[in-house]
Amino acid sequence: MNAVDLASSYDLIVIGGGPAGLAAASLAARAGVSTVLFDENPGVGGQIYRGITSTPVTNRLILGEDYWAGEALANEAEASGAVVVNGATVWSLDPERVVGVSIAGKARLIEARRVIIATGSQERPFPIPGWTLPGVMTAGAAQTVLKAQGLLPDGRTVMAGTGPLMWLLAAQILRAGGKIEAILDTTPRRNFLRASPHLPDFVLSPYFAKGLALLREVKAKVPVRRVSSVAAVGDGKLREVVSDRGRMPADLLLLHQGVVPNVNLALAAGTAHAWNERQLCFQPVLDDHFESSVPGIAVAGDGAGIAGGTAAAERGRIAAIAAVRALKPAAAVPDPQSVRQRLRREEMGRAFLDWLHRPADSFRQPEGDTLACRCEEVTARQVRETADMGCEGPNQMKAFLRCGMGPCQGRLCGLTITELIAAQRKTTPAEVGYYRLRPPVKPITLAELASLPISEAERKAVER
Amino acid sequence: MFKRLAEAGAAVALTVDGKPVRAVSGDTVAAALLAAGIDHCRTTPVTGAPRAPYCLMGICFDCLVTIDGVGSRQACLVPVSEGMKVETQQGKREAGR
Amino acid sequence: MRTADVVIIGGGLHGCSTALHLALRGLRPILVEKDYAGRHASGVNAGGVRQLARHIAEIPLSIASMALWENIEDLVGDDCGFSSHGTVLVAESEQELAGFRARVDDLRLKGFAHEELIDHAELKRLVPAVSDDCPGGVVSRRDGAADPFRTTQAFRRRAIERGAAVIEGVSVTGLARNGSVWRVETSDGPIEAPKVVNAAGAWADRIAAQLGEPVPLEVIAPMLMVSSRVPPFIDPVVILRGRKLSFKQLANGTVVIGGGHLAVSYRDENRTVLDWTKLATSARTVWELFPAMREATIVRAWAGIEARMPDEIPVVGPSRTSEGVFHQFGFSAHGFQLGPATGAVMAELVATGATNLPIDGLGIERFKA
């Protein structure tokens, strides 16, 4: 679908085609609500079900049954009557629920009576020395090309970090016939103490058995070392990975230390956010129906706070039920109680996982010449020194150092800058706050912006 | 850095900085660059440091390339198409081309 | 109870500049700012340091300010990112150029020579990237641009170094005469001082109203957008008259596009909502004027909250109703360049009761009902 083919307004706009977005759009469309789903990737599925309708990895054992669960969601959306637009970049959402979207180089402003933001999560910044070198990528990136294009790491591959996704990717690489030289586990040892009160819940959750099996599968084939420092070294390209346990030559270093909500769009829309100390990130302030502080705008899925893909779909359904009830009170919707019950089950093991994989301060608050802001190449030292000079917040820091002002718009430095300021000024991230984010939340070309249909008023002015 | 596990799609011919590169339908430009073994896709405007795709999910903007004359496109979000001309970006190269 | 020689309400560039100049005169001012210095228009404006195309009543202030800008490091200990490449007002038609000629001739008769008419050839020499259809324009060669947040911070810092106190995150809740002094109520307790300067920007009408001299202040939020870094292709700041546009490339390669299209502003919430249909209009204007920019990407857009008066010139001078109170607000989207000299004028007014620089026509009495 092209930009010109879109209606000027819909009852519901869903932004993001991962599990939350797909489930929300399906439910709403089936209830007879006019629904459009915008997703910027070439196909639906989000990150967790990336390439679900097109993956060349046909051996189902490689990506595993949890991945293939996404097929049902994609099929459901396809059959639901929702308009699903891929390759659609949403660059603006305002409190009046006007959505700025670009498709194939043409922009439109589309209105909605309700909006569900389902932009999911991103990997937490992992600012170590050398993390910008070619040859260093996120684990999620390697998983993305494995799922969507069937690309398998080749050459000497090292993984470093903490969290379930790292282990899942390692298993997937091994099952596909790939090789991993070593896994550098950055999980702080004392995390287990903090996590252990939540162990009983975790044992009862669906993740317990799966997690153990995964660890066993990977540890049988890959040497795993606990480390407390990691650096990528090379000149123009990764040559070796250096940790407190030694150096090893490497062609590819895959980093991962958990995921955090993708907050840019929700923040730019003016929704209130709060610091989550357990997950070490900002997340939107939401009610029971995932409604944000801005009327008519909900945030579902991992964007609402990290809970995983299955929980994301249930959250999408709850948000969609609320939207349908507001838009079309007479329409039939599934019983929200049963959805909530499934959601609770999915969320059960989360506290244990969060505490166990909480990254160490040293991996979140870099020192010295390590880049905090990749785009504008601002070092941790610059940020710390500027904070010492009296700079109290990320927005002032932006003005002083240009951190967060490059094309990624703070996505890969926002949390780092907030935490560095908090550390330096002996206060909390909640006090320091986050970047004030403004649209466009994704850069758009001047040509795209100029392509916005001319408004009625402007046309009259020209004719006169 | 990467090899293809399976080739499900049809071959797609691109050029990268004028040199022919063979991709597969279903590739994004970034995936095609990785599969072709290209070691970096741009140099930064600030210090000229080389960068390669980092997140492959549209958030890091390290895979910016020029595609068919349009600068600073996210290679990880654009599917390849036959005859596509991809250019790596050097420093500030973007406008005034 | 805190006491001071002067309480300044508002920590924009103007308030900070007045604080510095008062301190330089040996007075002890306290500046009270409800957010942080430079949080609003002063910190996020387009940064144009422009004498060009100003209202006649402002020109003396603007010229005095230019002299301070050219030696800004001597004044505040920081170059404020100031650079001087001129401002060019581009004529888009012969008819428009004729109008500009009349203005420049009129200024000459009044003794002002900073605006200079230029033909097509000189325009293309100054701005090679501009569209060939433009017949000429006006240049003010000493004009330039600076970094607004850095400038405001530099004034704030130097004011403190010279003895001013700056209290941030504290709002003024009221003010009243208490014998021979003013008692300024704040969210952090009262402050007493014989003199008060109202430099509260978009909130200044509330102070004026408390003094019994309401003003028709309009809260506005001019929108700006900025591109990613592009190779250097334009030196001067370019502005248009017919269509709303201001355009400049910073030293780091980014291009700032403004011109006065307004966002919706909510001053009580420190919030603005951008209007993309109007930003698209700006984009189309740039598209037509600078073909080189067509594939540049827009990285951010924003708007800073400020005050506009109906006649689009500021209120500078003593209160009409309240002795010891002075106004310095309503700069109507072009106050950044005026900051350095207006602070000096205000300090002179506060300290001596008079000023050498003419500020005729800027007084609050013009809004008397």
Side-chain angles (χ1 to χ4, degrees):
Chain A
M1 171 167 286
N2 290 316
V4 290
D5 303 325
L6 291 169
S8 60
S9 73
Y10 291 85
D11 286 341
L12 173 65
I13 294 180
V14 178
I15 303 163
L22 288 172
S26 304
L27 192 151
R30 281 222 297 249
V33 167
S34 78
T35 302
V36 65
L37 184 157
F38 294 130
D39 184 79
E40 72 175 336
N41 290 298
V44 297
Q47 305 311 324
I48 184 160
Y49 306 130
R50 170 70 81 142
I52 191 71
T53 58
S54 61
T55 179
V57 186
T58 46
N59 177 350
R60 294 198 164 216
L61 295 176
I62 293 177
L63 297 175
E65 58 176 299
D66 285 350
Y67 173 75
W68 290 100
E71 248 183 342
L73 275 174
N75 292 339
E76 195 185 329
E78 168 92 42
S80 70
V83 179
V84 177
V85 192
N86 279 105
T89 298
V90 170
W91 44 266
S92 175
L93 166 62
D94 73 22
E96 305 301 315
R97 299 176 307 284
V98 177
V99 171
V101 61
S102 285
I103 302 165
K106 295 275 185 277
R108 286 285 302 275
L109 293 172
I110 311 285
E111 287 175 47
R113 293 167 69 197
R114 308 279 290 201
V115 170
I116 298 177
I117 298 175
T119 50
S121 60
Q122 61 162 81
E123 286 173 278
R124 178 191 299 284
F126 203 148
I128 57 164
W131 70 310
T132 53
L133 279 174
V136 181
M137 300 173 90
T138 68
Q143 198 186 37
T144 292
V145 284
L146 176 60
K147 288 170 178 170
Q149 284 89 28
L151 295 186
L152 189 65
D154 195 20
R156 295 160 301 186
T157 301
V158 175
M159 299 178 82
T162 182
L165 180 78
M166 181 173 75
W167 298 99
L168 174 60
L169 173 66
Q172 290 168 331
I173 290 172
L174 296 171
R175 291 173 203 158
K179 190 166 179 292
I180 298 163
E181 303 295 321
I183 293 178
L184 307 180
D185 184 350
T186 62
T187 311
R189 284 185 193 281
R190 64 174 182 284
N191 276 9
F192 190 82
L193 278 179
R194 207 102 191 245
S196 55
H198 306 282
L199 187 57
D201 270 354
F202 181 63
V203 170
L204 294 174
S205 83
Y207 296 101
F208 176 67
K210 283 184 205 165
L212 276 186
L214 214 52
L215 281 180
R216 234 179 272 126
E217 180 183 355
V218 173
K219 285 182 172 172
K221 290 189 177 165
V222 182
V224 177
R225 285 168 220 163
R226 286 272 187 161
V227 299
S228 52
S229 74
V230 180
V233 177
D235 184 14
K237 172 175 173 184
L238 178 70
R239 301 266 173 236
E240 55 179 1
V241 178
V242 179
S243 74
D244 54 318
R245 300 279 302 273
R247 327 170 68 93
M248 64 181 81
D251 302 304
L252 181 62
L253 171 61
L254 301 176
L255 297 173
H256 179 78
Q257 54 177 351
V259 297
V260 294
N262 207 336
V263 290
N264 285 46
L265 186 66
L267 280 173
T271 64
H273 280 60
W275 177 254
N276 178 331
E277 181 61 18
R278 188 175 95 199
Q279 296 187 338
L280 296 167
C281 57
F282 288 96
Q283 65 185 48
V285 177
L286 304 168
D287 71 8
D288 278 355
H289 305 282
F290 297 95
E291 276 272 313
S292 75
S293 62
V294 176
I297 298 180
V299 187
D302 268 359
I306 303 304
T310 320
E314 306 299 357
R315 289 167 161 193
R317 291 185 183 108
I318 291 171
I321 290 169
V324 172
R325 285 190 168 158
L327 295 166
K328 248 189 165 195
V333 289
D335 170 25
Q337 283 322 309
S338 63
V339 182
R340 285 186 189 281
Q341 221 162 24
R342 290 200 299 272
L343 177 60
R344 268 196 298 276
R345 189 173 140 73
E346 284 301 324
E347 288 174 342
M348 259 178 89
R350 186 48 53 182
F352 178 82
L353 289 173
D354 287 345
W355 287 117
L356 183 66
H357 298 295
R358 208 163 176 267
D361 290 356
S362 61
F363 287 113
R364 306 191 324 270
Q365 298 161 18
E367 312 251 358
D369 291 330
T370 301
L371 290 184
C373 165
R374 296 169 63 97
C375 295
E376 293 291 326
E377 299 179 69
V378 179
T379 66
R381 178 183 296 116
Q382 286 175 283
V383 176
R384 287 180 186 271
E385 286 176 359
T386 307
D388 287 346
M389 274 165 41
C391 180
E392 291 179 346
N395 297 301
Q396 296 97 307
M397 195 63 79
K398 225 157 95 166
F400 283 118
L401 298 178
R402 289 192 55 80
C403 54
M405 292 178 89
C408 101
Q409 300 173 320
R411 287 171 174 85
L412 271 90
C413 69
L415 287 172
T416 311
I417 300 297
T418 293
E419 287 213 56
L420 284 176
I421 296 172
Q424 223 55 27
R425 300 189 65 82
K426 310 264 184 294
T427 173
T428 61
E431 276 299 311
V432 171
Y434 197 72
Y435 288 135
R436 202 157 46 240
L437 289 173
R438 292 306 188 91
V441 294
K442 299 280 291 211
I444 53 171
T445 65
L446 191 89
E448 278 174 308
L449 184 51
S451 80
L452 269 185
I454 294 176
S455 71
E456 202 54 31
E458 195 187 346
R459 198 177 301 125
K460 282 192 187 124
V462 171
E463 282 164 6
R464 219 185 312 124
Chain B
M1 274 192 298
F2 288 88
K3 66 179 178 198
R4 284 189 197 276
L5 193 59
E7 292 207 12
V12 175
L14 329 171
T15 63
V16 178
D17 293 334
K19 297 187 198 82
V21 163
R22 197 172 149 277
V24 172
S25 103
D27 281 356
T28 59
V29 172
L33 293 175
L34 290 171
I38 283 158
D39 61 0
H40 72 277
C41 58
R42 69 176 186 119
T43 58
T44 61
V46 182
T47 66
R51 292 285 172 89
Y54 178 73
C55 79
L56 291 177
M57 58 173 283
I59 64 159
C60 78
F61 292 78
D62 264 329
C63 65
L64 295 181
V65 292
T66 298
I67 298 177
D68 291 334
V70 181
S72 290
R73 300 206 60 197
Q74 291 184 273
C76 71
L77 295 179
V78 181
V80 295
S81 64
E82 184 67 28
M84 189 178 254
K85 288 190 180 62
V86 179
E87 294 160 84
T88 58
Q89 292 194 172
Q90 307 304 319
K92 291 177 190 174
R93 174 173 148 184
E94 184 189 335
R97 292 156 50 81
Chain C
M1 162 90 67
R2 295 184 76 144
T3 60
D5 293 328
V6 187
V7 172
I8 301 161
I9 305 168
L13 175 59
H14 281 272
C16 290
S17 175
T18 298
L20 170 59
H21 284 100
L22 285 167
L24 290 174
R25 285 178 173 271
L27 296 172
R28 276 184 323 110
I30 292 181
L31 185 153
V32 184
E33 161 57 44
K34 73 183 183 65
D35 296 304
Y36 57 81
R39 164 69 176 84
H40 297 286
S42 288
V44 299
N45 66 73
V49 178
R50 168 175 67 83
Q51 303 175 93
L52 186 70
R54 284 193 176 271
H55 189 286
I56 192 83
E58 289 179 348
I59 290 178
L61 258 183
S62 180
I63 290 172
S65 233
M66 206 63 226
L68 293 177
W69 275 108
E70 285 168 338
N71 298 289
I72 197 76
E73 193 157 1
D74 295 343
L75 182 63
V76 297
D78 187 305
D79 68 16
C80 299
F82 175 71
S83 64
S84 170
H85 294 287
T87 303
V88 176
L89 171 63
V90 174
E92 293 193 86
S93 67
E94 288 292 349
Q95 191 191 355
E96 206 172 47
L97 189 61
F100 293 173
R101 182 176 293 119
R103 147 100 178 175
V104 170
D105 289 346
D106 183 50
L107 285 182
R108 296 275 148 144
L109 290 177
K110 294 189 164 86
F112 299 120
H114 58 286
E115 294 196 10
E116 187 185 320
L117 200 76
I118 54 173
D119 61 9
H120 177 75
E122 178 65 358
L123 175 64
K124 286 297 278 188
R125 192 185 72 79
L126 292 171
V127 192
V130 78
S131 162
D132 285 333
D133 302 335
C134 302
V138 183
V139 64
S140 173
R141 296 186 193 271
R142 283 165 65 200
D143 289 10
D147 180 336
F149 186 75
R150 185 168 155 192
T151 301
T152 307
Q153 288 294 317
F155 273 87
R156 170 191 176 276
R157 194 167 50 239
R158 183 50 64 95
I160 293 169
E161 286 165 10
R162 293 292 181 265
V166 174
I167 308 173
E168 294 172 304
V170 171
S171 47
V172 169
T173 53
L175 74 169
R177 192 89 203 172
N178 183 15
S180 62
V181 296
W182 286 93
R183 182 183 166 99
V184 179
E185 303 290 345
T186 80
S187 56
D188 193 36
I191 309 171
E192 283 191 352
K195 304 281 170 65
V196 173
V197 174
N198 173 19
W203 296 264
D205 57 332
R206 292 177 176 168
I207 307 291
Q210 285 199 26
L211 302 171
E213 45 187 350
V215 286
L217 177 154
E218 184 191 2
V219 178
I220 60 167
M223 295 187 289
L224 292 164
M225 50 186 174
V226 65
S227 78
S228 52
R229 294 164 184 260
V230 300
F233 75 104
I234 184 167
D235 288 329
V237 179
V238 169
I239 59 175
L240 295 186
R241 169 61 55 79
R243 296 188 281 180
K244 290 177 176 172
L245 183 74
S246 81
F247 184 89
K248 86 165 134 299
Q249 184 169 31
L250 305 181
N252 62 31
T254 60
V255 176
V256 178
I257 300 165
H261 285 297
L262 301 181
V264 182
S265 47
Y266 303 90
R267 64 172 160 174
D268 292 323
E269 300 165 43
N270 282 350
R271 196 162 66 86
T272 60
V273 175
L274 302 179
D275 182 337
W276 284 96
T277 59
K278 291 181 192 156
L279 286 172
T281 304
S282 296
R284 277 190 282 276
T285 307
V286 174
W287 166 281
E288 285 165 24
L289 220 56
F290 297 105
M293 281 292 291
R294 289 181 182 181
E295 301 305 340
T297 52
I298 300 301
V299 180
R300 260 169 301 116
W302 68 93
I305 298 175
E306 59 178 297
R308 180 164 73 187
M309 306 313 294
D311 50 10
E312 300 203 44
I313 52 174
V315 177
V316 175
S319 161
R320 176 170 59 80
T321 57
S322 311
E323 203 192 330
V325 179
F326 301 83
H327 295 297
Q328 181 184 10
F329 65 84
F331 287 85
S332 309
H334 49 259
F336 182 61
Q337 190 268 352
L338 298 176
T342 310
V345 164
M346 292 304 292
E348 191 186 5
L349 258 180
V350 170
T352 70
T355 169
N356 282 318
L357 204 81
I359 49 171
D360 310 335
L362 301 180
I364 196 166
E365 57 279 358
R366 71 185 195 268
F367 298 114
K368 195 172 172 184

